[in-house]
Amino acid sequence: MYFFVNQGIGHSNSGVEHAQFYRAARFRALGLPFKFVFTDHLPQLHQHMAEWQLAEHDVIGLYDYLLSDAPDDYLRFGTTQPHSYHEDALWDTQQRQRLLFRQTTGQYTETIQRRQQHADAAKDSWVFDRVILENKTHRISWHYQYMSDEVKHPVDIHVDNFRGRHYLFTTQDELLQFFFSELERYFDHNVYLIDRGTAHETALVTLKQQGADLKLGVVIHAAHFVGFVAGHPLWNNHYQYLFDHVALIDLIVVSTVQQRLDIITQLQKVGVHDVAQKVVVIPVGGVASVAQPRHWVGGTAKFVTAARLHREKNLTHLIQAVQQLRQAGESVTLDIFGVGQEYAPLARQIQTAQLEGVVTLKGLSQDMVTAMQPYDAFVLASYSEGFGLAYMEAISLGLPIATYANQYGAQALVRENVNGHLAAFVPEKTAESQNIVHLTQAMHRILTHYDALSQGASQVAADFTDERIAAQWQRVLEGLV
């Protein structure tokens, strides 16, 4: 069985989840058995699965499994009768929520008990939660250890009446190791492709060290490297464990040739050799079809972008670039698709710049290929992209692209003067104004030779067809097992 390992999915997902959805479609076309594995507690899991058209039999949720009346049947078929989600709360006389009850979308209920503990009279109290999940005679409970006001970890996890036995796990890491050992017990010839979650790597590496006959791959979705410090590499936190234990990893999947070469070179500099065969290039997204090139007829240029509304996406730069283009006499608009914590600040910026009706926050779309059809060009302002599925979606439609020249995503998919323009940038706050000028210039240049760039987009898209990417997976997996 092939497992795509992640922490969770939701109403709005990142590129990591969309990469998993895309991979599932390629595996399905190849006839390869796979399961999504989600290990976070997800009260609305089945609702979100339905939104993203994930079949019940393709998903294993940690808590659904541990609370199942028939665990082996669940591993095969999933949850056969999901519930509708609802919740009720109990408040005290000071309007503090003390008890929260949820009917999850799975076969169990959740009760959260809240209490206050005054660790220091000089500080605000911390709120601690006790969580109880129940399905008839099955029960899981834990409380949280707070590392800070924002970071907490489940501890003292009781799993009662799982296959007729009771368990106590002092940490979530112990629970995960038990869970993966259960998957090893039931399924054969297993390959785990970890998309997110260092704790997953820890648990599976431990099982390998204990003799489990499994294959372990890690899919890299972002820039993996920070820099060298005193001659030693400083990795992105998400990949530190991977490179510290690279000898026990069977496969490292990246989306671009350049990232593969960088990883091999960086590891060789610290004396780690013989990894080249482990590091393979398979794009996390592709195109089902290649659109015909477009023709520019003039008028208002409609730019579009799609990104989580988070600061690292630099959406404020796009708004300023549109403002500069309009001040220079260009008739342009920008629609921004996505949701996130920066919605309100972006809305205020649009209002302050008097760009209502010019720049529009469009919200979430679950089908960006269809949503981007009416637009003329795509723009992105991230300083870092591991690949950038939004680029791929734009290319498949023949849309020229203006973007910062981020190292992997943009430089792999946007070819200067072929299908778009790459704006130079310096990732420092002091350089922000000049970066925006470069991005504005890149957007302007798209309009000066639009037809040739759209033709180039169709040419680039031909290198990333679904059939080619499925064939890449087929070759890699044949060599792995």
Side-chain angles (χ1 to χ4, degrees):
M1 180 62 70
Y2 296 98
F3 297 105
F4 306 159
V5 185
N6 198 348
Q7 292 167 302
I9 59 169
H11 179 62
S12 171
N13 294 300
S14 72
V16 174
E17 287 71 44
H18 287 282
Q20 288 189 308
F21 303 158
Y22 179 80
R23 187 190 315 136
R26 305 287 74 73
F27 275 48
R28 194 175 291 112
L30 292 168
L32 298 174
F34 67 89
K35 297 275 189 179
F36 292 90
V37 174
F38 299 122
T39 59
D40 276 356
H41 176 228
L42 304 166
Q44 295 174 271
L45 172 61
H46 301 275
Q47 173 186 328
H48 296 141
M49 286 168 54
E51 290 176 7
W52 293 102
Q53 300 178 350
L54 302 187
E56 289 289 341
H57 60 79
D58 287 339
V59 173
I60 298 174
L62 169 61
Y63 295 97
D64 284 294
Y65 172 60
L66 295 176
L67 290 162
S68 176
D69 292 326
D72 287 350
D73 287 347
Y74 172 76
L75 292 177
R76 291 180 62 195
F77 305 115
T79 297
T80 55
Q81 293 182 320
H83 284 269
S84 296
Y85 176 84
H86 71 268
E87 63 178 48
D88 295 298
L90 178 66
W91 303 78
D92 65 18
T93 56
Q94 296 181 340
Q95 294 303 303
R96 295 174 300 194
Q97 189 183 88
R98 301 303 297 269
L99 192 68
L100 180 63
F101 173 84
R102 291 169 170 161
Q103 170 57 63
T104 74
T105 56
Q107 297 291 327
Y108 63 92
T109 61
E110 175 189 16
T111 303
I112 300 178
Q113 301 171 350
R114 303 185 187 276
R115 63 186 176 90
Q116 289 185 318
Q117 176 173 306
H118 297 272
D120 187 332
K123 297 180 180 179
D124 293 333
S125 61
W126 286 353
V127 176
F128 291 78
D129 299 337
R130 180 164 180 79
V131 180
I132 302 169
L133 312 180
E134 294 179 286
N135 175 18
K136 300 175 184 175
T137 61
H138 308 285
R139 174 182 165 118
I140 301 174
S141 62
W142 68 83
H143 68 269
Y144 287 108
Q145 180 182 49
Y146 279 72
M147 312 308 294
S148 68
D149 288 347
E150 301 295 330
V151 180
K152 60 184 180 182
H153 299 299
V155 294
D156 296 332
I157 305 165
H158 293 259
V159 177
D160 298 330
N161 195 26
F162 175 71
R163 300 186 186 275
R165 300 185 63 181
H166 305 291
Y167 298 87
L168 172 62
F169 303 99
T170 57
T171 66
Q172 192 175 34
D173 288 346
E174 293 179 7
L175 176 65
L176 289 176
Q177 187 175 330
F178 173 79
F179 170 62
F180 286 119
S181 69
E182 283 289 298
L183 298 186
E184 283 297 295
R185 178 195 59 80
Y186 185 80
F187 296 99
D188 296 320
H189 308 297
N190 298 325
V191 177
Y192 297 85
L193 298 172
I194 299 178
D195 290 281
R196 180 183 279 126
T198 301
H200 301 141
E201 297 172 21
T202 305
L204 289 164
V205 163
T206 300
L207 288 178
K208 285 194 73 171
Q209 291 172 324
Q210 293 173 352
D213 184 21
L214 61 88
K215 298 294 185 180
L216 180 55
V218 177
V219 184
I220 294 182
H221 292 279
H224 65 280
F225 183 67
V226 177
F228 282 98
V229 177
H232 295 281
L234 180 62
W235 309 108
N236 179 324
N237 284 342
H238 296 291
Y239 305 117
Q240 184 70 51
Y241 188 89
L242 159 66
F243 292 116
D244 286 347
H245 298 82
V246 71
L248 291 165
I249 305 298
D250 300 292
L251 181 67
I252 300 171
V253 182
V254 297
S255 288
T256 69
V257 172
Q258 187 58 55
Q259 191 165 27
R260 176 181 183 271
L261 295 174
D262 287 348
I263 288 172
I264 294 169
T265 301
Q266 290 152 0
L267 288 172
Q268 288 175 342
K269 285 183 178 180
V270 292
V272 179
H273 301 281
D274 301 324
V275 295
Q277 73 282 2
K278 294 183 178 183
V279 188
V280 302
V281 179
I282 306 177
V284 295
V287 300
S289 60
V290 180
Q292 291 295 314
R294 298 175 177 228
H295 173 64
W296 176 246
V297 296
T300 298
K302 296 177 290 185
F303 285 90
V304 63
T305 192
R308 289 176 294 112
L309 306 188
H310 286 210
R311 287 186 179 181
E312 64 268 22
K313 296 300 182 180
N314 294 329
L315 295 167
T316 58
H317 296 200
L318 298 182
I319 297 172
Q320 292 181 65
V322 168
Q323 187 174 25
Q324 291 180 16
L325 285 169
R326 291 182 67 84
Q327 289 171 348
E330 298 285 358
S331 180
V332 299
T333 62
L334 171 66
D335 282 356
I336 301 172
F337 285 88
V339 295
Q341 61 192 23
E342 290 298 299
Y343 182 93
L346 291 169
R348 287 195 296 270
Q349 181 186 359
I350 292 168
Q351 184 179 34
T352 300
Q354 298 182 341
L355 291 175
E356 297 101 324
V358 174
V359 179
T360 306
L361 298 173
K362 300 290 286 186
L364 177 69
S365 170
Q366 294 180 335
D367 182 3
M368 278 307 304
V369 172
T370 299
M372 288 196 293
Q373 286 276 3
Y375 296 93
D376 301 307
F378 182 82
V379 61
L380 203 67
S382 300
Y383 289 161
S384 176
E385 288 286 343
F387 185 67
L389 287 173
Y391 291 134
M392 185 59 65
E393 291 165 334
I395 289 169
S396 74
L397 297 171
L399 296 182
I401 297 173
T403 177
Y404 284 135
N406 53 70
Q407 187 174 20
Y408 297 122
Q411 293 184 30
L413 296 174
V414 183
R415 299 167 190 173
E416 181 64 27
N417 286 322
V418 175
N419 67 317
H421 293 295
L422 298 166
F425 71 95
V426 176
E428 297 176 3
K429 188 67 175 178
T430 55
E432 188 172 284
S433 295
Q434 189 60 46
N435 294 343
I436 294 169
V437 169
H438 292 161
L439 184 61
T440 303
Q441 292 169 345
M443 294 171 68
H444 171 74
R445 291 176 64 197
I446 280 179
L447 306 180
T448 63
H449 53 298
Y450 181 92
D451 289 8
L453 294 177
S454 182
Q455 177 73 44
S458 297
Q459 293 171 353
V460 172
D463 293 334
F464 295 93
T465 61
D466 292 345
E467 292 79 7
R468 286 192 178 194
I469 294 173
Q472 288 175 279
W473 273 113
Q474 183 86 63
R475 288 193 297 271
V476 168
L477 296 175
E478 286 174 352
L480 188 63
V481 297

